């Protein structure tokens, strides 16, 4: 009953100003009297109190009690054997207690009714026993309210009660239902070691100070955890101070739906049978470290405005975090998800830490959005799983997959170093926003500042790539050194590698030009670290390590084979070029072999640069022409002569046909006619043919040299063209 409503019982007409309060004193008549207990004369009061015996029911609704008046009433009901006040039904609706109220150790054998009662001083109910129902609905406690070790054997109702001071229910026992709905705790509320055997309802309650239901490190009874054996309802409750539920045991349903936690929310080591935090708002830090969720855990649409920590928590069934918003960092390190890990539509505006988490049976993770970094390093997945993530960075260092897995990503840079998987695993870029179960697209506005949805792989070091598939992934910054079975890596779609700087660079006074080709990031780092490095090569970032030609040669060789197995011959050619470059610069090859490789590189780019071979061919032909004009062609065409002897007596004449030796040229050698002859000789030399021209001795040797070298250069050019166009 509201204190503003007039009582419906016969009330006392004394002690009030009719102009101020036309009702007068609200106290109910003492049996056989026309006044309330507060307004009885001494003789009448003594007669009434003398007639009371322990266990009697009393009715003092609306009565105003001073501290002394309450004391003499309780003394009249005191059991001489136990020394404790004992009463049957006790009705104190709308009563007012002035000063200290001492019901400590009292025994209420019937119902205890304190609805709309006003306690202006401290209210002591420590160790009180309520054998019937206890009703404190709409009561106002202006001082501290002490219910420590109180025993409520029936229902306990504190709906809409107002606690202006501290409310202490430490070690209280609620065997029936406990109703605190819409109660207002303006001071601190302590329920440490309390036991709720029935329903505990705190729906819409407002905790303006700290609320302590859990364990702290103080070691006092106040700091030990409460136990909820039935339903614990905190739906729509507001915690403006710290909310402590550490080590609390929720054996029934625990409902925190739409609750608001403005301060620190501590649920570390708590045990939940069936928790629900749907649409809850955590404005401060939310700590669930080492918590145990034995039933489905529902955090659907919850909002964590402060840090959220679930480190070492255990979800024995399904964990639902659909549409949850983490506005700062969220920590799930060492967490165990034995059922589904439902993070669909979740948004992490800070980092999301799942390091060393265990996903026992989860088959999906996401789709979710993380504006910071998702850390799955050391995590373990026990079943086939699909991960759908949109994040700036994904760390999967030493992550373990025990079954097939597919990782679909947007915007992310992935560190996959030392990941372990024994079954096929795919890392693929998702070009379009993820589609949710209802057909809508996942909003990834938190990543609007990213350059694009491309996926970049930062490292594969220490990975066994035998079962790895990469699809549409940017590998321009990937570190491959130390990857095992890299030749079995499968590359699907448009997998991009870094390229060599293609424009002309100056090394001191000499121009240097690198032909554009696919290049590993580690070659960039090595070349940029050289003393005479040209500009254009990328310097290694911190933590990238150092790899030299000796380590990079087998990496290029393995990737070449992977491209060849994928029938991508041009790509394989680029990695063959890289392999040869690393062999040429390695420290473990003899000088003669390095010389041969250098010549092979200079003449034709290891049989891959047709333009270089053709340039050398053109130069060789030009030199051959010049030498032939200058020294190889004879001055004139040698004339044939016939000589013979005519027998004296006649008969057959025998002639010997001979030719003059070609004469070295003199005078004007560089004429058009001599050029045409030299060109004819040179062109025939390229295709292993003899020109038939008359040459000097020097010209003969020049032609022999030309016929040896120029066809080789032509063959290298043809080979280079084939290597670039074949499939």
């Amino acid at each position: 009953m509201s204190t503003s409503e007039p009582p419906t019982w016969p009330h006392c007409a004394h002690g009030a100003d009719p102009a101020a309060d036309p009702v007068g004193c609200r106290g109910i008549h003492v049996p056989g009297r026309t006044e309330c207990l507060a307004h009885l004369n001494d003789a009448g009061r003594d007669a009434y109190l003398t007639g009371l015996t322990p266990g009697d029911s009393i009715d003092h609704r609306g009565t105003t009690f001073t501290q002394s008046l309450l004391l003499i009433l309780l003394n009249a009901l005191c059991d001489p054997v136990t020394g404790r006040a004992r009463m049957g039904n006790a009705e104190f609706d709308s009563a007012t207690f002035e000063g200290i109220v001492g019901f400590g150790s009292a025994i209420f054998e019937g119902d205890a009714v304190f609805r709309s009662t006003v306690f202006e001083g401290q209210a002591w109910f420590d160790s009180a026993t309520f054998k019937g129902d206890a009703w404190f609905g709409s009561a106002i406690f202006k001082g501290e309210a002490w219910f420590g070790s109180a025993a409520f054997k029936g229902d306990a109702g504190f709906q809409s009660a107002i606690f202006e001071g501290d409310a202490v229910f430490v070690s209280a026992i609620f065997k029936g239902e406990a109703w605190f709905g819409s109660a207002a705790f303006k001071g601190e509320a302590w329920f440490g070691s309390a036991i709720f055997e029935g329903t505990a309802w705190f729906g819409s309650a407002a905790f303006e100070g700290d609320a302590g239901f859990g364990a702290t490190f103080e070691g006092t009874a106040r700091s030990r955890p409460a136990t909820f054996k039935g339903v614990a309802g905190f739906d729509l409750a507001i915690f403006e101070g710290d909310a402590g539920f550490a080590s609390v045991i929720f054996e029934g349903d625990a409902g925190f739906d739409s609750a608001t936690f403005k301060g620190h929310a501590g649920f570390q080591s708590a045990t939940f049978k069936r928790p629900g935090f749907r649409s809850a708002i955590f404005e401060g830090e939310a700590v669930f470290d080492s918590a145990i969720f034995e039933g489905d855990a529902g955090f659907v649409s919850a909002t964590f405005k402060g840090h959220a920590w679930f480190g070492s928590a255990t979800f024995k069934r399904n964990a639902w975090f659909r549409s949850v918003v983490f506005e700062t960092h969220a920590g799930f390190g060492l967490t165990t998800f034995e059922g589904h890990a439902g993070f669909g539509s979740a948004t992490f505006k800070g980092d999301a830490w799942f390091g060393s988490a265990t996903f026992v049976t989860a088959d999906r993770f996401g789709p979710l959005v993380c504006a910071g970094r998702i850390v799955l390093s050391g995590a373990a997945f026990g079943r086939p799983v699909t991960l759908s993530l949109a994040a700036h960075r994904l760390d999967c260092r030493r992550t373990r997959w025990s079954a097939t897995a597919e990782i679909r990503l947007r915007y992310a840079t992935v560190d996959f170093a030392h990941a372990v998987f024994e079954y096929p695993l795919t890392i693929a870029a998702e070009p379009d926003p993820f589609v949710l179960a209802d057909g809508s697209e996942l909003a990834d506005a938190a990543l609007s500042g990213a350059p694009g949805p491309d996926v970049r792989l930062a490292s594969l070091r220490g990975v066994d790539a035998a079962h790895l598939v990469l699809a549409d992934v940017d590998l321009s910054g990937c570190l491959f050194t130390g990857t095992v079975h890299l030749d079995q890596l499968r590359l699907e779609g448009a997998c991009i590698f870094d390229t060599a700087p293609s424009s002309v660079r100056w090394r001191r006074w000499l121009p240097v030009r690198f032909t554009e080709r696919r290049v590993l990031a580690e070659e960039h780092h090595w070349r940029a670290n050289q003393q005479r490095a040209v500009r254009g090569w990328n310097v290694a970032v911190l933590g990238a390590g150092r790899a030299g030609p000796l380590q990079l040669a087998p990496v290029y060789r393995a990737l070449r084979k992977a491209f060849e197995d994928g029938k991508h011959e041009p790509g394989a050619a680029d990695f063959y070029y890289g392999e040869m470059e690393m062999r040429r610069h390695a420290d473990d090859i003899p000088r003669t072999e390095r010389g041969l490789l250098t010549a092979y590189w200079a003449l034709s780019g290891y049989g891959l640069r047709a333009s270089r071979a053709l340039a050398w061919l053109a130069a060789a032909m030009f030199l051959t022409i010049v030498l032939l004009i200058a020294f190889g062609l004879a001055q004139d065409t040698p004339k044939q002569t016939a000589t013979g002897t005519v027998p004296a007596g006649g008969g057959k004449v025998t002639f010997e046909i001979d030719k003059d030796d070609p004469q070295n040229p003199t005078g004007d050698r560089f004429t058009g006619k001599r050029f045409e002859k030299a060109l004819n000789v040179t062109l025939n030399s390229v295709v292993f043919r003899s020109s038939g021209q008359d040459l000097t001795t020097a010209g003969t040797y020049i032609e022999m040299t030309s016929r040896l070298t120029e066809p080789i250069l032509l063959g290298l050019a043809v080979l280079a063209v084939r290597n670039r166009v074949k499939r």
Side-chain angles (χ1 to χ4, degrees):
M1 179 182 294
S2 172
T3 56
S4 63
E5 297 178 357
T8 58
W9 55 81
H11 57 273
C12 175
H14 294 276
D17 181 2
D21 186 357
V23 177
C25 176
R26 299 173 183 271
I28 194 168
H29 297 172
V30 173
R33 305 286 180 170
T34 58
E35 298 86 13
C36 68
L37 182 61
H39 292 107
L40 278 178
N41 56 31
D42 293 342
R45 183 182 299 124
D46 292 342
Y48 169 71
L49 296 175
T50 302
L52 294 177
T53 59
D56 285 348
S57 296
I58 56 176
D59 185 356
H60 294 288
R61 288 171 287 176
T63 303
T64 299
F65 284 87
T66 63
Q67 184 173 338
S68 58
L69 180 60
L70 177 61
L71 181 60
I72 61 177
L73 174 62
L74 295 179
N75 285 337
L77 297 170
C78 183
D79 190 329
V81 178
T82 61
R84 303 171 64 180
R86 183 165 56 86
M87 60 202 82
N89 292 330
E91 298 194 38
F92 291 93
D93 280 2
S94 300
T96 300
F97 293 88
E98 301 173 349
I100 298 177
V101 179
F103 282 95
S105 301
I107 300 175
F108 298 87
E109 296 184 346
D111 293 342
V113 183
F114 289 86
R115 283 189 291 259
S116 301
T117 301
V118 177
F119 299 88
E120 296 189 350
Q122 293 182 347
W124 290 87
F125 288 87
D126 280 11
S127 302
T129 301
F130 299 87
K131 294 185 177 181
D133 296 338
W135 301 108
F136 288 84
S138 301
I140 300 175
F141 297 85
K142 295 186 177 182
E144 295 178 346
W146 295 86
F147 288 86
S149 301
F152 297 88
K153 297 186 177 181
D155 294 340
F158 288 85
Q159 303 97 316
S160 301
I162 299 175
F163 298 86
E164 297 186 1
D166 293 344
V168 181
F169 289 84
V170 175
S171 300
I173 299 175
F174 298 86
K175 291 186 175 290
E177 297 179 347
W179 300 95
F180 287 85
S182 301
F185 298 87
K186 298 187 176 182
E188 296 181 349
W190 297 100
F191 289 84
S193 301
I195 299 175
F196 297 87
E197 296 188 1
T199 298
W201 179 250
F202 288 84
S204 301
F207 298 86
E208 296 184 11
D210 295 342
F213 290 83
T216 65
F217 297 102
E218 298 176 2
T220 63
R222 177 181 296 188
S223 69
R224 290 196 289 270
T227 301
F228 294 86
K229 296 186 177 181
V231 176
F234 289 85
D235 298 345
L236 296 170
I238 299 176
F239 297 86
E240 296 190 4
D242 293 342
F245 289 87
S247 302
V248 172
I249 299 175
F250 297 91
E251 296 186 3
D253 294 343
F256 290 84
D257 293 350
S258 300
T260 300
F261 299 84
K262 296 186 177 181
H264 176 93
F267 289 85
Q268 54 268 41
S269 301
T271 300
F272 298 88
K273 295 288 185 181
R274 288 179 293 274
F277 288 85
R278 294 172 178 82
S279 302
I281 299 176
F282 298 85
E283 296 188 3
E285 188 176 50
V287 181
F288 291 84
D289 290 348
S290 302
I292 299 175
F293 299 86
E294 297 188 357
D296 289 349
F299 288 85
V300 177
S301 300
T303 300
F304 295 84
K305 295 186 177 181
H307 296 325
W309 304 113
F310 289 81
S312 301
T314 300
F315 295 88
K316 295 191 174 181
R317 296 190 65 183
N318 301 322
W320 301 113
F321 287 85
R322 287 194 305 269
S323 302
V324 171
V325 177
F326 298 89
E327 297 195 356
T328 58
H329 301 314
F332 291 84
L334 294 170
T335 301
T336 300
F337 297 90
E338 296 187 6
H340 292 298
F343 285 85
S345 304
T347 300
F348 297 83
K349 295 185 178 180
D351 293 339
W353 295 83
F354 290 86
S356 300
T358 301
F359 299 84
V360 180
T361 61
D363 58 354
R364 291 185 306 276
F365 185 67
L368 59 83
V369 176
C370 181
R373 178 172 54 164
I374 299 178
V375 179
L376 287 170
S377 298
F381 292 86
R383 296 282 298 276
V385 63
T386 299
L387 289 79
S388 303
L389 311 172
H392 274 300
R393 186 173 179 86
L394 173 63
D395 288 349
C396 292
R397 300 176 66 88
R398 296 181 175 84
T399 306
R400 179 180 294 273
W401 281 270
S402 298
T404 57
E406 182 181 13
I407 307 174
R408 306 203 66 83
L409 303 170
R410 286 172 57 80
Y411 300 99
T413 298
V414 186
D415 186 349
F416 219 66
H418 304 286
V420 179
F421 46 93
E422 301 176 1
Y423 297 88
L425 185 146
T426 301
I427 301 176
E430 187 72 22
D432 301 316
F434 293 113
V435 178
L436 304 176
D438 59 0
S440 62
E441 293 183 348
L442 177 66
D444 49 15
L447 297 168
S448 58
D454 299 337
V455 176
R456 296 155 296 279
L457 198 59
S459 177
L460 281 176
R461 287 184 170 178
V463 172
D464 186 342
H467 302 287
L468 181 61
V469 180
L470 303 179
D472 301 314
V473 178
D474 185 347
L475 299 170
S476 60
C478 186
L479 305 179
F480 287 96
T481 307
T483 307
V484 182
H485 293 146
L486 191 56
D487 59 323
Q488 300 180 40
L489 174 67
R490 287 183 55 191
L491 301 174
E492 304 288 346
C495 290
I496 303 172
F497 287 84
D498 207 345
T499 58
S502 58
S503 58
V504 177
R505 313 284 175 167
W506 288 88
R507 179 182 291 165
R508 294 186 178 180
W509 59 84
L510 293 177
V512 177
R513 182 181 182 276
F514 293 93
T515 305
E516 187 173 350
R517 61 181 173 91
R518 294 174 179 84
V519 177
L520 296 183
E522 288 148 309
E523 183 179 345
H524 266 272
H525 303 161
W526 170 74
R527 289 188 181 274
N529 196 45
Q530 301 303 301
Q531 292 182 351
R532 300 175 60 186
V534 299
R535 298 177 59 185
W537 296 100
N538 301 327
V539 179
V541 297
L542 183 64
R546 293 289 186 269
L550 191 61
Q551 294 80 29
L552 291 176
V555 175
Y556 272 115
R557 187 180 305 116
L559 286 174
R560 173 177 61 83
K561 185 177 184 302
F563 270 76
E564 289 174 346
D565 292 343
K567 305 303 180 183
H568 192 337
E569 296 297 340
D574 281 347
F575 287 111
Y576 173 73
Y577 191 102
E579 176 192 353
M580 298 299 288
E581 276 287 272
M582 294 302 101
R583 285 182 57 196
R584 184 166 68 90
H585 289 93
D587 297 330
D588 65 336
I589 65 172
R591 182 173 300 178
T592 53
E593 183 179 345
R594 180 177 288 109
L596 289 174
L597 291 176
T598 302
Y600 192 22
W601 162 77
L603 291 175
S604 64
Y606 310 111
L608 295 172
R609 300 294 181 258
S611 59
R612 191 177 305 179
L614 290 174
W616 280 108
L617 176 60
M621 292 174 65
F622 177 75
L623 179 61
T624 301
I625 292 174
V626 171
L627 292 176
L628 286 173
I629 293 176
F631 308 106
L633 296 178
Q635 177 68 32
D636 295 309
T637 302
K639 298 179 179 180
Q640 293 182 341
T641 59
T643 61
T645 303
V646 177
K652 186 177 181 180
V653 179
T654 301
F655 291 92
E656 292 183 2
I657 307 298
D658 199 358
K659 192 174 185 180
D660 295 337
D661 292 334
Q663 300 298 313
N664 289 325
T666 60
D668 189 7
R669 305 180 185 183
F670 295 93
T671 63
K673 185 176 180 180
R674 290 177 62 82
F675 172 78
E676 183 180 356
K677 291 182 178 181
L679 179 61
N680 184 39
V681 173
T682 304
L683 291 177
N684 280 281
S685 297
V686 173
V687 293
F688 288 101
R689 291 181 59 192
S690 176
S691 63
Q693 293 287 340
D694 294 317
L695 302 175
T696 64
T697 302
T700 302
Y701 285 104
I702 292 172
E703 183 186 35
M704 291 172 59
T705 304
S706 175
R707 293 178 65 182
L708 175 65
T709 58
E710 291 170 4
I712 295 177
L713 293 173
L714 178 62
L716 290 174
V718 173
L719 176 64
V721 172
R722 179 180 181 276
N723 286 334
R724 303 306 299 183
V725 301
K726 72 175 182 178
R727 288 291 183 268

